[in-house]
């Protein structure tokens, strides 16, 4: 191990209470982007980061994104905090993304402690909203940089920071900003690193090399010009709901098999090489069952569960707009109903091809129903899947860094969900993206009693330094 | 024609502007029971009726029903106005039911005129909220009684009035009151008459001799303890929505055929005698199409349409509670969903038998789906169908009265909807109920530009007098 890193590791251990106190300070700012009344707190958190970056000697810029309409009120969007540290042409340049907004949290949701007051539990948990998602990691990068400065160590790479305040609320304006700044503030990026994810388990670090995409569809079935009385019209007319429910029942079976012909033809074949990544993973079906407090798993064995989540498409029925949805009873025949479902996509599915398959199939099935009502199928939004080779130098650097810090090689995982910004970074900056998780699988981001373990937080700061070091040696 | 009736008819024609002005006065009271802010207006309307009944020499009683919780506020229920006029043991006694509350109405809903200002159109329409439903008929009874008094005519029957102010909002408290007063205020009722319905067409009067019942069902499918992220769990779990949609798709086909075995075995056979009531009716499929501004009718011919509405059961899918229902996109997998549907029932269907058939079938179909989620089927409420022989003396009296006033025998119709109070009256008072409509088919109750035609309103008042006369001759 290099001298520099040894010093860094020791510094982190020697200053751990300071670092935890710093996390306490950022958790105490309730930067909830989803609540308009807390918007000023989100902005305060953005300014906190900008000030801290400036103190560390970084150049900064607050990219203002204009206003947003929420519940009839116009409120400002929080700025994207851009920062730049170092511009040595002999060093590699890493763009680091993170977000400083958090999910809503109230003690009454079921928290054991006040969500915006960091609690240091005996068992090492640092409990508080945003501790793992994503204030711990964002702060970690700054603390790592500060440590280098305090120790008089050279930072072996150039750093660019891109911290947003709207991640939990749709990342308004971020895509455009990245595209706009690709030839500006973010120019010269060699690698991108995102630390906004969690390990697969709780003991072994991991790298994330794939995300599913998501296509969202609406099936609109319409008929009469207004809702009908089911006494007067029941049995007399072709009801839009009957036709919609019939078509929706033909999309997917109980075991998750998508019934739209052609969908699986697009899915990349499972290879021998790929199968290695599924061996010996620290994942148990029982973890999911515990999480759900109910066993409704389709597969008996872990590999099948992970494959179905990571590398096969899925289709979920989300709901119906225009039909009755409240408690109690209402006997109306809805005149127009919109069925909503989404398909999670994987390599090598093509969005346009999928849209054609879905639209054609739904229209065909609707014809079979024989209703006089009319149907329209639309893809409301689509986000492509992302897949990166674990053999890419950026990943090798991440893996080496993990091995150095934790003494064990990382697991490789994919995610069933989407982080759409990953793809935007990759395409706009034409640079590989590494997803380098800091927290453990049981951190409960978005849920009650969110935490990051002191072990993960402190070793994460070391990991970031080791990653810079690995990148500098490429 | 009797002298008395001739005098009544002439009086109505001579005083038509007075009678229309009286309708104007009651329409001007916005007695909307569904809007808590208008509750005082509903009560004011109840008091108006009580005062008017007293002026006519009736004994009255305001039956107070207590309070109601609406949007977290406690507001008083409007009283049921009870009235009694005459107690001659040598006369028959008729209980008259009507309601003095109305549906909500705003000019911005699409009204051409102010809804609570009665407009006398050139073409004879009296336009205003409640004109046909049900203020025109309720006032009609009082004006008929007043006319008798002004003319010095004997009222040939004893009258009991029961006017409620919550009909458009679930008739809170009415059932209990009727049962309670069956041996009290309403004791001695020989016949009941309800004028809260409309003709089948626009030119020929009609009597209503049947109503469908309604059983409302919930299918609850539950699984995980909380909603799931469809990225993480899509393809991994048995989703409650998938199972629910599958089961809901097995309940009814596009053409309205109920797929639950055994349901049609309970339906009374269509008889030769019954078929006569379907001949030459003033009903056109095209009227429904015009109403819906869309042709989604199942049947080409009028008789099939009417039979399917009047004397066969129907099943409508109303919606799903617990799933996503808003505009836009949400990718969650709902953890618990409740599918809602209702079955309109007809003679000789039995509620308990139907509930058993429905529950057994849904559970069987759910088993076939093979989901680890669990299902519960419940009948949330049920109201029995109502059927009265058109040959009953009460109906013969109504028919004769119509023939005398309009010079043409009435049509006989049934309704696909329910007026649950009909059955309560029949069972509690052990007296036949006649449904004697005043308004025409195109009056648009509950909709914009509600009206009653001057022709129907004035002849309706004559009709009420003729009906009393017919009853007195039984």
């Amino acid at each position: 191990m290099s001298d520099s890193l040894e010093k860094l590791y020791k510094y982190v251990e020697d200053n751990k209470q300071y670092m935890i106190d710093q996390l306490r300070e950022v958790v105490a700012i309730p930067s909830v982007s989803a609540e308009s009344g807390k918007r000023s707190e989100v902005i305060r958190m953005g300014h906190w980061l900008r000030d801290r970056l400036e103190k560390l000697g970084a150049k900064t810029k607050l990219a203002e994104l204009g206003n947003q309409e929420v519940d009839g009120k116009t409120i400002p969007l929080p700025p994207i905090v851009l920062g730049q540290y170092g511009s040595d042409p002999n060093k590699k340049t890493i763009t680091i993304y993170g977000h400083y907004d958090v999910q809503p949290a109230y003690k009454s949701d079921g928290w054991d402690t006040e969500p915006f007051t960091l609690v240091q539990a005996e068992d090492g948990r640092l409990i508080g909203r945003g501790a793992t998602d994503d204030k711990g990691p964002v702060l970690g990068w700054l603390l790592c940089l500060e440590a280098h400065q305090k120790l008089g160590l050279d930072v072996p790479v150039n750093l660019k920071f891109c911290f947003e305040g709207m991640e939990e609320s749709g990342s308004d304006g971020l895509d455009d900003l990245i595209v706009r700044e690709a030839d500006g503030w973010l120019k010269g990026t060699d690698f991108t690193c995102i630390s906004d994810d969690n390990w697969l388990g709780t003991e072994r670090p991991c790298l994330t090399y794939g995300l599913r995409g998501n296509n969202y569809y609406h099936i609109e079935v319409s008929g009469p010009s207004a809702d009908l009385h089911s006494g007067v019209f029941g049995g007399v007319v072709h009801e839009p709901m009957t036709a919609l429910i019939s078509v929706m029942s033909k999309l997917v079976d109980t075991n998750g098999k998508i019934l739209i012909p052609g969908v699986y033809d697009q899915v990349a074949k499972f290879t021998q090489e790929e199968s290695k990544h599924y061996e010996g993973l620290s994942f148990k079906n029982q973890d999911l069952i515990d999480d759900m407090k109910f066993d409704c798993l389709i597969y008996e064995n872990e590999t099948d569960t992970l494959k179905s989540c990571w590398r096969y498409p899925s289709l979920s029925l989300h709901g119906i707009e225009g039909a009755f949805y409240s408690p109690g009873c209402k006997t109306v025949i809805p005149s127009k109903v919109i069925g909503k479902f989404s398909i999670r996509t994987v390599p090598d599915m093509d969005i346009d091809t999928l849209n054609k398959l879905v639209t054609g199939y739904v229209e065909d099935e609707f014809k079979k129903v024989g209703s006089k009502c009319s149907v329209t199928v639309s893809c409301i939004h689509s986000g492509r899947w992302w897949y990166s080779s674990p053999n890419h130098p950026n990943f090798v650097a991440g893996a080496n860094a993990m091995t150095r810090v934790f003494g064990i090689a990382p697991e490789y995982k994919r995610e069933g969900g989407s982080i759409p910004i990953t793809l935007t970074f990759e395409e706009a900056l034409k640079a590989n993206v590494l997803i380098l998780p800091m927290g453990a699988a049981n951190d409960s981001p978005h849920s009650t009693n969110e935490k990051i373990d002191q072990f993960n937080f402190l070793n994460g700061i070391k990991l970031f330094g080791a990653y810079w070091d690995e990148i500098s040696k490429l």
Side-chain angles (χ1 to χ4, degrees), chain A:
Chain A
M1 195 187 295
S2 77
D3 258 13
S4 303
L5 282 186
E6 257 186 74
K7 283 182 191 160
L8 175 69
Y9 295 0
K10 184 166 185 308
Y11 176 90
V12 171
E13 292 300 330
D14 290 347
N15 292 278
K16 65 185 176 192
Q17 194 54 48
Y18 160 73
M19 294 183 169
I20 291 165
D21 289 341
Q22 287 286 293
L23 183 59
R24 188 187 320 279
E25 188 172 331
V26 292
V27 164
I29 301 174
S31 52
V32 179
S33 56
E35 296 175 359
S36 57
K38 298 229 174 84
R39 185 56 51 90
S40 61
E41 297 292 330
V42 186
I43 292 169
R44 182 155 76 96
M45 184 65 221
H47 289 183
W48 190 99
L49 285 172
R50 190 261 322 261
D51 294 349
R52 178 57 62 103
L53 281 167
E54 293 214 326
K55 261 194 209 160
L56 292 169
K59 284 203 310 185
T60 66
K61 173 171 141 180
L62 293 184
E64 297 294 345
L65 302 172
N67 293 321
Q68 184 192 22
E69 294 287 323
V70 181
D71 308 329
K73 279 185 294 186
T74 304
I75 55 172
L77 285 164
I80 289 172
V81 180
L82 295 169
Q84 182 172 345
Y85 185 86
S87 57
D88 185 337
N90 297 315
K91 292 178 180 172
K92 297 278 191 269
T93 298
I94 302 174
T95 286
I96 290 163
Y97 163 85
H99 65 89
Y100 61 85
D101 63 322
V102 296
Q103 284 279 323
Y106 292 93
K107 186 142 193 289
S108 58
D109 294 342
W111 283 71
D112 295 328
T113 58
E114 287 298 334
F116 296 102
T117 303
L118 191 81
V119 171
Q120 249 176 295
E122 295 267 325
D123 57 9
R125 285 179 300 148
L126 305 172
I127 304 157
R129 173 55 87 220
T132 194
D133 182 18
D134 188 33
K135 286 179 171 174
V138 163
L139 180 68
W141 293 111
L142 303 192
L143 291 174
C144 184
L145 175 56
E146 187 182 63
H148 278 73
Q149 294 182 345
K150 293 260 162 103
L151 292 167
L153 299 175
D154 177 55
V155 177
V157 289
N158 302 316
L159 298 170
K160 287 173 189 276
F161 299 98
C162 176
F163 297 141
E164 70 157 325
M166 283 294 284
E167 198 270 349
E168 303 293 3
S169 300
S171 291
D172 281 36
L174 181 60
D175 272 322
D176 287 349
L177 178 107
I178 294 169
V179 171
R180 205 159 59 235
E181 296 289 357
D183 276 328
W185 196 273
L186 302 175
K187 194 172 177 177
T189 298
D190 296 302
F191 304 99
T192 297
C193 184
I194 296 178
S195 184
D196 181 22
D197 192 16
N198 293 77
W199 294 356
L200 181 60
T202 55
E203 311 211 329
R204 195 173 155 190
C206 92
L207 292 174
T208 303
Y209 67 101
L211 302 165
R212 290 201 288 189
N214 194 18
N215 279 21
Y216 205 101
Y217 297 96
H218 283 186
I219 306 174
E220 179 178 314
V221 180
S222 59
S225 61
D227 290 353
L228 301 175
H229 188 296
S230 68
V232 182
F233 289 93
V236 171
V237 296
H238 288 150
E239 302 185 14
M241 264 295 268
T242 311
L244 176 65
I245 293 280
S246 176
V247 170
M248 286 178 83
S249 77
K250 309 261 170 59
L251 295 171
V252 64
D253 76 10
T254 316
N255 290 320
K257 193 189 162 207
I258 299 173
L259 304 175
I260 302 164
V263 164
Y264 291 101
D265 299 345
Q266 296 190 81
V267 176
K269 294 274 171 294
F270 189 71
T271 63
Q272 201 65 21
E273 155 124 31
E274 194 183 346
S275 73
K276 285 181 210 151
H277 291 309
Y278 290 83
E279 287 163 13
L281 291 175
S282 59
F283 166 82
K284 291 279 163 277
N285 273 350
Q286 191 60 43
D287 297 340
L288 292 185
I289 296 169
D290 292 346
D291 203 14
M292 298 189 286
K293 299 184 181 70
F294 188 83
D295 175 11
C296 52
L297 290 187
I298 297 172
Y299 301 99
E300 294 284 328
N301 87 48
E302 275 71 13
T303 304
D304 286 336
T305 295
L306 290 178
K307 280 163 73 178
S308 73
C309 173
W310 292 356
R311 58 110 53 235
Y312 286 111
S314 65
L315 190 156
S316 294
L317 306 172
H318 303 298
I320 296 174
E321 179 185 342
F324 179 55
Y325 59 82
S326 300
C329 303
K330 189 177 168 187
T331 56
V332 110
I333 299 173
S335 61
K336 185 173 91 173
V337 282
I338 303 173
K340 307 194 169 190
F341 69 98
S342 66
I343 299 180
R344 298 279 167 176
T345 58
V346 296
D348 297 310
M349 292 170 77
D350 172 67
I351 287 177
D352 293 337
T353 309
L354 181 63
N355 288 348
K356 267 179 216 145
L357 291 172
V358 169
T359 306
Y361 178 76
V362 170
E363 287 171 353
D364 282 353
E365 289 301 315
F366 189 83
K367 257 180 223 141
K368 285 184 203 164
V369 168
S371 171
K372 287 182 178 174
C373 299
S374 57
V375 71
T376 319
V377 195
S378 344
C379 177
I380 300 302
H381 71 64
S382 53
R384 206 161 68 77
W385 47 265
W386 170 79
Y387 177 85
S388 179
S389 165
N391 300 322
H392 188 279
N394 198 17
F395 277 74
V396 173
N400 288 344
M402 282 184 159
T403 308
R404 285 166 72 178
V405 172
F406 295 97
I408 183 171
E411 305 188 277
Y412 290 87
K413 74 159 184 176
R414 289 162 75 167
E415 282 279 351
S418 314
I419 310 177
I421 212 60
T422 311
L423 209 66
T424 308
F425 272 116
E426 192 166 271
E427 290 175 349
L429 307 188
K430 293 177 183 60
N432 181 274
V433 178
L434 171 69
I435 298 180
L436 187 74
M438 181 188 256
N442 61 352
D443 280 0
S444 303
H446 293 212
S447 190
T448 51
N449 303 318
E450 176 181 347
K451 59 90 180 171
I452 191 163
D453 292 325
Q454 186 173 311
F455 176 84
N456 285 59
F457 178 56
L458 299 176
N459 282 302
I461 296 166
K462 299 176 197 167
L463 170 68
F464 292 165
Y467 169 62
W468 294 344
D469 187 59
E470 286 291 331
I471 287 289
S472 75
K473 294 193 295 190
L474 287 176

